[in-house]
Amino acid sequence: AQNLNLTCAICLERFSIPVTIPCGHTFCQICISKYWDGDVKPAKHQCPICKTEFDTKPMLRRNVSLSVLTEAANSTTCREALLRGGDGARAMQLCDRHKKPLVYYCKQDRTPVCHECGICDCKNHEKVLLETEKENQELLLERKINEVEKLVKETEEKIADLAENISQAKVSFEQTSVWVSAKFSSMMKVLGEKQEATEQFIHQQQEEAIGEAEARLCELQAHSRTLRESRSQIKAVHNLSDTLRLQQNGQLYCSKQESMVIEVPRLKDVATDVKPNLQDRLNAVTEILSRMSKLVSDDLDKAVSSTVGQDKLPLFSRVSSGQEASSSCGSQSSCPQSPWVKPVLSRRILRYRCSLTFDPRTANGNLFLSQENRRAEHLTSGPRPVPPHEARFDHTWQVLCFQGFTHGQHYWELEVSKPWAYLGVTYESIPRKEKGRRCMVGMNELSWSLQLDQHQLSAWHNGQRETLAGPAQSSRIGMLLDYEAGTLTYYGDGQTRLHAFHCAFTQELFPACWIGEGVSITLCS
């Protein structure tokens, strides 16, 4: 009996008084009666399953065989429920109104209903099986759980990133504060020394200029006395007797006196200025002090006030003013911290990663470009014939990148095969046709570079070298440019901070590479 289909197609439960209609299908007596005698009576009675229509309402005859089987099955189910302790009975949900199992879900009313509610109240509503709706709801809940879990994971990652950035910001602020304090102390010491040297220079210039001018003043005073004496003599002769005659030889004679010669004194010219170019020399000193005063008093105040309220934290070792407070811009100076500090590059910095390519118009004939101009190799076979171009480095083993920067933050990395190279940035006006070191990046006032050597690292600007302490062997070099802040920071192997330049950049900057013989440099993607 348990293997037979003893379920009514209308209520989806075991038959209760099973009756058979003329087409042969069997239903509960109450279910088929309510189906035919509901609120909306059909024009013709039909079978709910095969849709066979009957002209008159068929006579309902009880199916005795199914009644016996149903009773036997119900008895077995009751015994099993009793043996399970009534779990099935407790799990079954009944309609409060009809005390029937809830088998449908009415989508319009959004509530579970029994088969009688489905026939009477929700006949024209869209209904699905309750189990199907439960499965759909479970799938929907699972999707929402997965979505929430994803959001939780993303939020936790953001929390970790923010905590890391906060930690790095604290270190950056502390390092910058120490650096600023040390720099101001150094500046005040240097200013004191420079003040003494400048005052001594002015005093020396004063002694030389005034002494020379006073000597010329004495000379002019002697000339004045000579001229006055001559004037007196001429006046005296002018007042003599009319018998005075003037001879052709320029001698004046008097009949009563011995002849005497009167001549106008011929004196050398004496300059009246104190010292040539004196004011220009003094102006050179005052202009430098004026610029320094403006830099410290005005520009530094503006830089500090402009950073208040910015929505971004300073990068590693950023100086508020973006300038090195020294007599010459672009001096090579690192923050007063150990260059061996290894802050892992945060995702904030990696956001500034950019894609670069070498500019073949600038490449020296000894350099061969490949990999879509992302790799430059110094050939050991000698220079290749290359077309002349005004942008090409004719005598320097150097190449610039095609991309230039005039604002913003930018980060790129380079793979170096051997430590014999100079990596840096330069203005476009760097010399390209001269012989000698002046065309090399870092050897002039237009460029900054980091020298990779087998034994040590060096920072170069304007031909001045600063030896750096730190690991010399780094095959991958990262460069972070913050144009507005005026910083160019180097990282070894992607994380070790090697050095930082500080300068107020004024022109477009192009990444540049000087490449030694047999060395190759690849711009990382």
Side-chain angles (χ1 to χ4, degrees), residues 186-199:
S186 175
M187 284 174 55
M188 287 186 287
K189 180 180 179 181
V190 171
L191 285 175
E193 297 174 353
K194 295 300 180 183
Q195 180 183 2
E196 182 179 354
T198 305
E199 290 177 350

Side-chain angles (χ1 to χ4, degrees), residues 8-10 15 19-28 31-36 42-58 60 123:
C8 173
I10 296 178
F15 287 119
V19 295
T20 302
I21 60 178
C23 63
H25 290 104
T26 303
F27 307 93
C28 295
C31 294
I32 192 62
S33 298
K34 288 185 177 181
Y35 181 78
W36 283 339
K44 290 185 178 182
H45 298 85
Q46 63 179 2
C47 175
I49 297 177
C50 65
K51 305 302 180 181
T52 301
E53 295 183 351
F54 310 105
D55 295 334
T56 60
K57 182 179 179 180
L60 300 179
K123 184 175 183 180

Side-chain angles (χ1 to χ4, degrees), residues 164-175:
E164 176 187 353
N165 292 336
I166 291 174
S167 177
Q168 293 178 355
K170 290 180 180 179
V171 174
S172 179
F173 278 120
E174 181 179 356
Q175 293 174 349

Side-chain angles (χ1 to χ4, degrees), residues 248-307:
Q248 292 181 352
N249 58 5
Q251 294 180 342
L252 294 174
Y253 292 93
C254 178
S255 58
K256 298 180 179 180
Q257 297 180 356
E258 184 180 357
S259 66
M260 60 180 179
V261 179
I262 302 298
E263 295 181 354
V264 176
R266 303 299 180 186
L267 305 175
K268 68 176 182 179
D269 188 26
V270 177
T272 58
D273 56 341
V274 175
K275 190 171 185 178
N277 302 327
L278 173 63
Q279 194 60 42
D280 293 339
R281 297 184 182 183
L282 297 179
N283 288 342
V285 176
T286 57
E287 287 177 2
I288 292 176
L289 292 176
S290 297
R291 290 200 304 268
M292 290 177 59
S293 177
K294 182 179 182 299
L295 181 66
V296 176
S297 300
D298 299 335
D299 295 350
L300 184 58
D301 289 341
K302 293 179 181 178
V304 172
S305 62
S306 64
T307 57

Side-chain angles (χ1 to χ4, degrees), residues 12-250:
L12 302 178
E13 294 183 359
R14 294 267 175 84
F15 287 119
S16 175
I17 309 178
V19 295
T20 302
I21 60 178
C23 63
H25 290 104
T26 303
F27 307 93
C28 295
Q29 182 180 6
I30 297 177
C31 294
I32 192 62
S33 298
K34 288 185 177 181
Y35 181 78
W36 283 339
D37 300 332
D39 296 336
V40 182
K41 296 182 179 180
K44 290 185 178 182
H45 298 85
Q46 63 179 2
C47 175
I49 297 177
C50 65
K51 305 302 180 181
T52 301
E53 295 183 351
F54 310 105
D55 295 334
T56 60
K57 182 179 179 180
M59 176 119 9
L60 300 179
R61 299 183 181 274
R62 182 169 183 175
N63 191 321
V64 179
S65 300
L66 286 180
S67 296
V68 175
L69 293 174
T70 300
E71 291 177 359
N74 288 337
S75 300
T76 303
T77 302
C78 292
R79 287 196 300 271
E80 292 176 353
L82 291 173
L83 292 175
R84 292 195 304 267
D87 293 340
R90 287 196 301 269
M92 183 180 297
Q93 297 180 358
L94 301 179
C95 175
D96 295 337
R97 180 179 174 186
H98 301 105
K99 305 304 181 182
K100 296 291 184 180
L102 300 175
V103 293
Y104 297 110
Y105 179 80
C106 178
K107 290 191 175 182
Q108 183 171 342
D109 295 337
R110 296 182 179 180
T111 182
V113 296
C114 66
H115 71 281
E116 292 190 17
C117 293
I119 294 174
C120 300
D121 303 331
C122 306
K123 184 175 183 180
N124 297 324
H125 295 175
E126 182 181 0
K127 300 182 292 296
V128 295
L129 291 175
L130 185 60
E131 295 297 328
T132 303
E133 181 64 21
K134 288 182 179 179
E135 293 177 358
N136 294 337
Q137 292 292 338
E138 289 179 357
L139 292 176
L140 179 61
L141 290 175
E142 288 180 0
R143 286 196 297 268
K144 289 184 177 180
I145 290 174
N146 294 334
E147 183 178 356
V148 172
E149 288 180 352
K150 181 180 178 181
L151 293 175
V152 169
K153 184 177 179 181
E154 292 177 354
T155 304
E156 290 178 350
E157 291 179 354
K158 290 182 179 179
I159 292 174
D161 291 343
L162 182 56
E164 176 187 353
N165 292 336
I166 291 174
S167 177
Q168 293 178 355
K170 290 180 180 179
V171 174
S172 179
F173 278 120
E174 181 179 356
Q175 293 174 349
T176 304
S177 177
V178 173
W179 184 86
V180 169
S181 177
K183 182 56 63 177
F184 270 106
S185 299
S186 175
M187 284 174 55
M188 287 186 287
K189 180 180 179 181
V190 171
L191 285 175
E193 297 174 353
K194 295 300 180 183
Q195 180 183 2
E196 182 179 354
T198 305
E199 290 177 350
Q200 183 177 357
F201 164 77
I202 295 175
H203 181 69
Q204 180 181 357
Q205 293 293 319
Q206 178 182 357
E207 288 184 347
E208 292 179 0
I210 300 302
E212 181 182 348
E214 289 179 346
R216 282 187 273 122
L217 179 60
C218 292
E219 187 176 358
L220 286 175
Q221 290 173 348
H223 289 179
S224 178
R225 289 193 298 269
T226 301
L227 291 173
R228 283 197 298 270
E229 291 176 357
S230 178
R231 182 182 62 185
S232 299
Q233 291 176 0
I234 293 174
K235 284 183 177 182
V237 173
H238 182 268
N239 295 328
L240 291 178
S241 172
D242 293 339
T243 59
L244 183 68
R245 295 189 302 271
L246 177 65
Q247 303 295 331
Q248 292 181 352
N249 58 5

Side-chain angles (χ1 to χ4, degrees), residues 381-444:
S381 57
R384 301 176 297 109
V386 292
H389 197 281
E390 60 181 4
R392 192 177 306 281
F393 291 94
D394 290 344
H395 307 287
T396 306
W397 301 338
Q398 200 155 261
V399 61
L400 304 186
C401 286
F402 185 80
Q403 296 76 12
F405 308 112
T406 58
H407 63 278
Q409 297 85 37
H410 309 276
Y411 177 77
W412 64 94
E413 293 182 349
L414 307 96
E415 286 282 355
V416 184
S417 62
K418 291 191 296 184
W420 188 19
Y422 291 76
L423 310 178
V425 296
T426 180
Y427 295 145
E428 189 175 13
S429 55
I430 186 174
R432 306 172 190 239
K433 306 301 180 183
E434 302 177 10
K435 292 184 178 180
R437 299 177 60 190
R438 178 167 168 75
C439 294
M440 292 177 59
V441 59
M443 301 301 169
N444 48 68

